[in-house]
Amino acid sequence: FMFRRVLGAAVALIALSATASAQDAPLWQIRGRGLFILPQASSTPTGLDVKVNPVAEIDITRYFGRNFAFELVLGTSSHEVTSTTGNTTTSLGSAAILPPTLTLQYRFLPEGKFQPYVGAGGNMTIFYDKTGSLADLDLSTSIGYAFQGGADIELGGSAWFNLDVKYVGLNTDVKSGSTKAYDLKINPLLIAVGVGIRL
């Protein structure tokens, strides 16, 4: 529900921005970033954990007005899930995730060579391509919040260096058939570094 509301607001504001004057016309930015996904995992009952995974991702930013922008992050990753009982830890296999994330950003210094920003929005995560014991389990789609902070630094021409940190609310029900076995909170911290081109 939250993701649909954020998406609806994004579409409406982008449509309004298209009517801006040439001076205020929005800019586009495409980035490639290396992304470190650091799960802050916990489960009920306790015992499940989700491993760290570095990946590459692409994001698209649409600027409008002086201080605002929308960012859409596109990427996928795979994470190993483990179960610990006593002193014994067992791998349950891995699951790939597709987590498109849309945020609305406020940019403090829109005309500077250093442009810090904060943002908030929504995330929808779909689980697929499960291996090991996870292949026999169902992981429900997660819809949650996302908060971010970061900065763009001008490199020259249309190129910009970017550092970005996000915290995403990500929760899934782990089911065996119709029986819920675990409530798994992944809640990853996402640390990204990359370069973008403004068009």
Side-chain angles (χ1 to χ4, degrees):
F1 178 72
M2 179 187 297
F3 184 82
R4 291 197 298 269
R5 292 184 65 178
V6 172
L7 183 60
V11 171
L13 286 172
I14 289 173
L16 288 174
S17 73
T19 64
S21 66
Q23 182 178 358
D24 296 326
L27 301 174
W28 292 91
Q29 181 164 280
I30 300 175
R31 299 189 193 94
R33 297 192 289 206
L35 177 66
F36 293 89
I37 302 174
L38 309 174
Q40 316 296 302
S42 64
S43 68
T44 305
T46 61
L48 295 190
D49 195 13
V50 181
K51 298 303 182 182
V52 174
N53 189 24
V55 297
E57 57 97 337
I58 294 175
D59 67 271
I60 301 170
T61 299
R62 172 75 178 254
Y63 298 89
F64 63 98
R66 283 177 47 83
N67 298 96
F68 294 95
F70 282 108
E71 180 190 85
L72 176 64
V73 177
L74 303 171
T76 186
S77 64
S78 182
H79 297 267
E80 182 184 13
V81 180
T82 62
S83 175
T84 299
T85 303
N87 295 323
T88 303
T89 298
T90 304
S91 176
L92 299 181
S94 64
I97 64 172
L98 180 65
T101 302
L102 179 67
T103 57
L104 171 63
Q105 300 174 346
Y106 179 80
R107 294 181 161 258
F108 299 97
L109 303 170
E111 297 178 358
K113 295 181 180 295
F114 173 72
Q115 298 185 2
Y117 58 83
V118 294
N123 165 272
M124 181 174 68
T125 298
I126 299 169
F127 297 86
Y128 68 101
D129 196 19
K130 296 170 290 183
T131 67
S133 300
L134 290 179
D136 298 321
L137 300 174
D138 178 60
L139 303 177
S140 64
T141 297
S142 171
I143 298 178
Y145 56 84
F147 298 107
Q148 74 176 146
D152 286 313
I153 302 171
E154 186 177 9
L155 296 177
S158 59
W160 292 74
F161 173 80
N162 176 258
L163 174 64
D164 185 89
V165 178
K166 292 185 180 70
Y167 182 80
V168 176
L170 200 169
N171 182 82
T172 183
D173 293 333
V174 182
K175 294 183 178 181
S176 177
S178 59
T179 302
K180 181 178 176 178
Y182 288 93
D183 177 18
L184 176 59
K185 293 180 173 63
I186 301 176
N187 295 345
L189 182 67
L190 312 178
I191 301 175
V193 178
V195 176
I197 301 295
R198 293 191 180 180
L199 306 175

